[in-house]
PDB file of all heavy atoms in Angstrom:
ATOM      1  N   ARG D   8     105.210  26.176  37.097  1.00  0.00           N
ATOM      2  CA  ARG D   8     104.419  26.425  35.936  1.00  0.00           C
ATOM      3  C   ARG D   8     103.390  25.374  35.767  1.00  0.00           C
ATOM      4  O   ARG D   8     103.631  24.190  35.740  1.00  0.00           O
ATOM      5  CB  ARG D   8     105.354  26.559  34.654  1.00  0.00           C
ATOM      6  CG  ARG D   8     106.354  27.619  34.809  1.00  0.00           C
ATOM      7  CD  ARG D   8     107.247  27.606  33.638  1.00  0.00           C
ATOM      8  NE  ARG D   8     106.433  27.929  32.372  1.00  0.00           N
ATOM      9  CZ  ARG D   8     106.973  27.709  31.133  1.00  0.00           C
ATOM     10  NH1 ARG D   8     108.172  27.444  30.906  1.00  0.00           N
ATOM     11  NH2 ARG D   8     106.142  27.958  30.122  1.00  0.00           N
ATOM     12  N   LEU D   9     102.192  25.834  35.368  1.00  0.00           N
ATOM     13  CA  LEU D   9     101.063  24.960  35.190  1.00  0.00           C
ATOM     14  C   LEU D   9     101.005  24.616  33.612  1.00  0.00           C
ATOM     15  O   LEU D   9     101.061  25.543  32.787  1.00  0.00           O
ATOM     16  CB  LEU D   9      99.708  25.540  35.565  1.00  0.00           C
ATOM     17  CG  LEU D   9      99.601  25.782  37.037  1.00  0.00           C
ATOM     18  CD1 LEU D   9      98.214  26.375  37.323  1.00  0.00           C
ATOM     19  CD2 LEU D   9      99.755  24.523  37.815  1.00  0.00           C
ATOM     20  N   ARG D  10     100.837  23.316  33.380  1.00  0.00           N
ATOM     21  CA  ARG D  10     100.682  22.993  31.912  1.00  0.00           C
ATOM     22  C   ARG D  10      99.235  23.321  31.381  1.00  0.00           C
ATOM     23  O   ARG D  10      98.259  23.165  32.134  1.00  0.00           O
ATOM     24  CB  ARG D  10     100.871  21.494  31.779  1.00  0.00           C
ATOM     25  CG  ARG D  10     102.339  21.074  32.082  1.00  0.00           C
ATOM     26  CD  ARG D  10     102.516  19.551  31.689  1.00  0.00           C
ATOM     27  NE  ARG D  10     103.875  19.174  32.007  1.00  0.00           N
ATOM     28  CZ  ARG D  10     104.231  17.848  31.899  1.00  0.00           C
ATOM     29  NH1 ARG D  10     103.428  16.971  31.416  1.00  0.00           N
ATOM     30  NH2 ARG D  10     105.493  17.543  32.141  1.00  0.00           N
ATOM     31  N   ARG D  11      99.284  23.771  30.213  1.00  0.00           N
ATOM     32  CA  ARG D  11      97.962  24.018  29.578  1.00  0.00           C
ATOM     33  C   ARG D  11      97.301  22.715  29.121  1.00  0.00           C
ATOM     34  O   ARG D  11      97.922  21.795  28.611  1.00  0.00           O
ATOM     35  CB  ARG D  11      98.054  24.937  28.233  1.00  0.00           C
ATOM     36  CG  ARG D  11      98.458  26.363  28.663  1.00  0.00           C
ATOM     37  CD  ARG D  11      98.548  27.169  27.419  1.00  0.00           C
ATOM     38  NE  ARG D  11      98.828  28.578  27.614  1.00  0.00           N
ATOM     39  CZ  ARG D  11      98.916  29.499  26.715  1.00  0.00           C
ATOM     40  NH1 ARG D  11      98.548  29.202  25.465  1.00  0.00           N
ATOM     41  NH2 ARG D  11      99.186  30.722  27.074  1.00  0.00           N
ATOM     42  N   SER D  12      96.027  22.679  29.464  1.00  0.00           N
ATOM     43  CA  SER D  12      95.278  21.397  29.139  1.00  0.00           C
ATOM     44  C   SER D  12      94.952  21.507  27.631  1.00  0.00           C
ATOM     45  O   SER D  12      94.573  22.460  27.070  1.00  0.00           O
ATOM     46  CB  SER D  12      93.980  21.352  29.928  1.00  0.00           C
ATOM     47  OG  SER D  12      94.198  21.308  31.242  1.00  0.00           O
ATOM     48  N   ARG D  13      95.167  20.299  27.051  1.00  0.00           N
ATOM     49  CA  ARG D  13      94.749  20.166  25.666  1.00  0.00           C
ATOM     50  C   ARG D  13      93.262  20.045  25.432  1.00  0.00           C
ATOM     51  O   ARG D  13      92.571  19.418  26.249  1.00  0.00           O
ATOM     52  CB  ARG D  13      95.455  18.948  25.021  1.00  0.00           C
ATOM     53  CG  ARG D  13      96.974  18.978  24.899  1.00  0.00           C
ATOM     54  CD  ARG D  13      97.528  17.770  24.342  1.00  0.00           C
ATOM     55  NE  ARG D  13      98.951  17.881  24.263  1.00  0.00           N
ATOM     56  CZ  ARG D  13      99.759  16.895  23.666  1.00  0.00           C
ATOM     57  NH1 ARG D  13      99.142  15.792  23.202  1.00  0.00           N
ATOM     58  NH2 ARG D  13     101.039  16.964  23.609  1.00  0.00           N
ATOM     59  N   PRO D  14      92.747  20.696  24.484  1.00  0.00           N
ATOM     60  CA  PRO D  14      91.280  20.696  24.234  1.00  0.00           C
ATOM     61  C   PRO D  14      90.838  19.294  23.928  1.00  0.00           C
ATOM     62  O   PRO D  14      91.522  18.477  23.191  1.00  0.00           O
ATOM     63  CB  PRO D  14      91.007  21.602  23.132  1.00  0.00           C
ATOM     64  CG  PRO D  14      92.258  21.689  22.336  1.00  0.00           C
ATOM     65  CD  PRO D  14      93.417  21.592  23.409  1.00  0.00           C
ATOM     66  N   VAL D  15      89.694  18.852  24.526  1.00  0.00           N
ATOM     67  CA  VAL D  15      89.123  17.484  24.212  1.00  0.00           C
ATOM     68  C   VAL D  15      87.945  17.626  23.357  1.00  0.00           C
ATOM     69  O   VAL D  15      86.981  18.396  23.601  1.00  0.00           O
ATOM     70  CB  VAL D  15      88.759  16.826  25.525  1.00  0.00           C
ATOM     71  CG1 VAL D  15      88.161  15.442  25.166  1.00  0.00           C
ATOM     72  CG2 VAL D  15      89.968  16.688  26.403  1.00  0.00           C
ATOM     73  N   ILE D  16      87.964  16.972  22.171  1.00  0.00           N
ATOM     74  CA  ILE D  16      86.772  16.979  21.265  1.00  0.00           C
ATOM     75  C   ILE D  16      85.969  15.815  21.446  1.00  0.00           C
ATOM     76  O   ILE D  16      86.457  14.667  21.318  1.00  0.00           O
ATOM     77  CB  ILE D  16      87.367  17.152  19.856  1.00  0.00           C
ATOM     78  CG1 ILE D  16      88.208  18.403  19.684  1.00  0.00           C
ATOM     79  CG2 ILE D  16      86.175  17.090  18.797  1.00  0.00           C
ATOM     80  CD1 ILE D  16      88.822  18.528  18.293  1.00  0.00           C
ATOM     81  N   VAL D  17      84.632  15.974  21.698  1.00  0.00           N
ATOM     82  CA  VAL D  17      83.719  14.841  21.798  1.00  0.00           C
ATOM     83  C   VAL D  17      82.876  14.810  20.582  1.00  0.00           C
ATOM     84  O   VAL D  17      82.321  15.754  20.249  1.00  0.00           O
ATOM     85  CB  VAL D  17      82.872  15.100  23.103  1.00  0.00           C
ATOM     86  CG1 VAL D  17      81.904  13.929  23.162  1.00  0.00           C
ATOM     87  CG2 VAL D  17      83.657  15.246  24.321  1.00  0.00           C
ATOM     88  N   VAL D  18      82.874  13.588  19.982  1.00  0.00           N
ATOM     89  CA  VAL D  18      82.159  13.385  18.782  1.00  0.00           C
ATOM     90  C   VAL D  18      80.826  12.678  19.161  1.00  0.00           C
ATOM     91  O   VAL D  18      80.915  11.628  19.730  1.00  0.00           O
ATOM     92  CB  VAL D  18      82.927  12.579  17.814  1.00  0.00           C
ATOM     93  CG1 VAL D  18      82.107  12.429  16.471  1.00  0.00           C
ATOM     94  CG2 VAL D  18      84.206  13.320  17.444  1.00  0.00           C
ATOM     95  N   CYS D  19      79.700  13.284  18.853  1.00  0.00           N
ATOM     96  CA  CYS D  19      78.460  12.578  19.046  1.00  0.00           C
ATOM     97  C   CYS D  19      77.854  12.015  17.867  1.00  0.00           C
ATOM     98  O   CYS D  19      77.912  12.628  16.751  1.00  0.00           O
ATOM     99  CB  CYS D  19      77.362  13.718  19.578  1.00  0.00           C
ATOM    100  SG  CYS D  19      78.005  14.439  21.192  1.00  0.00           S
TER     101      CYS D  19
END
Side-chain angles (χ1 to χ4, degrees):
R8 297 178 62 186
L9 296 178
R10 295 182 179 179
R11 292 186 177 180
S12 299
R13 294 183 179 178
V15 179
I16 300 176
V17 179
V18 180
C19 297

